[in-house]
Amino acid sequence: MSEKLYLEEPEVELEEVYCRPTEALYDIPFHYCPGCGHSVVHRLLMEVVEELGIQEETIGVAPVGCSVFAYHYMNVDMQEAAHGRASAVATGIKRVLPDKYVFTYQGDGDLAAIGTAETIHTVNRGENILMVFINNGIYGMTGGQMAPTTLPGQVTSTSPYGRDVSMVGAPLKMTELIANLPGAYYVTRQSVHNPNAVRKLKKALTKSFQYQKLKKGTCFVEVVSNCPSGWKMTPVESIKYIEEYMFPLYPVGDIKVPKE
Amino acid sequence: MIKGNVNIDAKICKGCELCIIACPQDALALSSHFNDKGYRYVELIYNVCTGCTNCALVCPEAAITVYRQAKPAKKEKVSTE
Ligand SMILES: Cc1ncc(C[n+]2csc(CCOP(=O)(O)OP(=O)(O)O)c2C)c(N)n1
Ligand code: SF4
Ligand code: SF4
């Protein structure tokens, strides 16, 4: 299986230990901005699908936002949904095809702004789907406007003096909110800011797909991510911003875990 | 030390530098050349890679393939043959 490659000292034999998913991820370059977390999560989802051997049984629902073209990259059955409605579309798919693995992939503008009602009611009904929630604190696709998740004081194109909490309210912590609903089975917040975070996120996604078989409720994985373009930062600066400013408000870790 | 190596697909690298800050060996750096898209791509500059896969895990473009020295047990077996 693994390719062999040799360094200058020919006695050291190397074997392949990591390569991009070859089956579930199409071999085409991502359209995302340099350093954007969307690409990492796309790859991880498809790695998990490939490793669990469920490519044929997986159906994804793509959102509106930068990841609107998720189906260009994910080699599984996919359906596009209207802005914010991914979890409603996924509900329909899962109810007609209850043995398929169904997931939605949504940004914070999609899942926590225009799609708030769909999100809350989907989880409240305990639909047996996985919802992947990419929280980059901003509307990336449309030019970096303020999202419900934007940090207090954060400058965006629609909050040029920083988010004024007294006027627009405090950031909406959707993940904590839906964790209180009885239909939520597994709720966790992860990140992609360093290699260990990526390893943990992959574990969370794997568990979520496995839990779907049990038909016990909704699995919800928030990913604290970045939007270097919308934040007007270099990718490296955006990683520092996640660590310094996002984590105090959006701490990573499990919020609701199934009782064994 | 465990030996490793990386193969970086310069065609799809966007020079975001996230792999550079993830590498514990400081073995990666931006090239002074550009790829077709106009990005300075990343290269392995020191032969100190241990094959830890950190760079590949954070690479948004999934541009990095990682190789590592085969497990010692396996190697000993080969050498005694
Ligand atoms: C019904 C409707 N309203 C508004 C829009 C405009 N629109 C497109 S993407 C977007 C926000 C996306 O933000 P987010 O979900 O955070 O995704 P990101 O681009 O940051 O990944 C908006 C408001 C739309 N396409 N459809
Ligand atoms: S605008 Fe932001 S969210 Fe969209 S691809 Fe670029 S960095 Fe990613
Ligand atoms: S993380 Fe990937 S895209 Fe970014 S500089 Fe490194 S190889 Fe290039």
Side-chain angles (χ1 to χ4, degrees), chain A residues 76-121:
Chain A
V76 294
D77 286 334
M78 296 282 295
Q79 171 63 49
E80 175 60 47
H83 202 10
R85 315 314 184 218
S87 64
V89 173
T91 297
I93 294 173
K94 184 73 182 187
R95 288 194 177 196
V96 175
L97 301 166
D99 294 326
K100 299 282 181 188
Y101 294 86
V102 179
F103 72 89
T104 72
Y105 184 101
Q106 302 171 263
D108 45 356
D110 192 89
L111 181 144
I114 193 168
T116 309
E118 282 76 5
T119 304
I120 289 177
H121 287 291

Side-chain angles (χ1 to χ4, degrees), chain B residues 20-48:
Chain B
I20 299 179
I21 60 169
C23 175
Q25 305 296 327
D26 292 328
L28 302 169
L30 283 183
S31 165
S32 51
H33 298 278
F34 298 85
N35 63 16
D36 289 351
K37 284 190 184 139
Y39 294 114
R40 284 176 68 188
Y41 52 86
V42 153
E43 292 174 325
L44 186 71
I45 49 162
Y46 301 116
N47 194 2
V48 291

